[in-house]
Amino acid sequence: MPRGCVPRRSDAGGTHERIIDTAAEWYGVLADVSRLSLADVDASTRAPL
């Protein structure tokens, strides 16, 4: 499980941070921001990420 993950996004309105503290949120950020969907990868294979 990720700990202390804080992605930052900067735009004209300033810098925005979001604390990610669950694996589900981490995989969501990977899919949304990086367009890296791991939906086809089982949980035991994703766990080390």
Side-chain angles (χ1 to χ4, degrees):
M1 175 178 309
R3 293 177 193 229
C5 181
V6 182
R8 291 182 181 91
R9 179 180 52 87
S10 297
D11 60 22
T15 300
H16 310 277
E17 296 182 349
R18 176 178 163 200
I19 297 172
I20 306 299
D21 58 4
T22 69
E25 287 178 299
W26 170 246
Y27 299 127
V29 168
L30 286 176
D32 294 342
V33 175
S34 302
R35 301 198 193 297
L36 178 62
S37 174
L38 299 175
D40 60 336
V41 180
D42 63 48
S44 64
T45 303
R46 284 192 317 241
L49 299 175

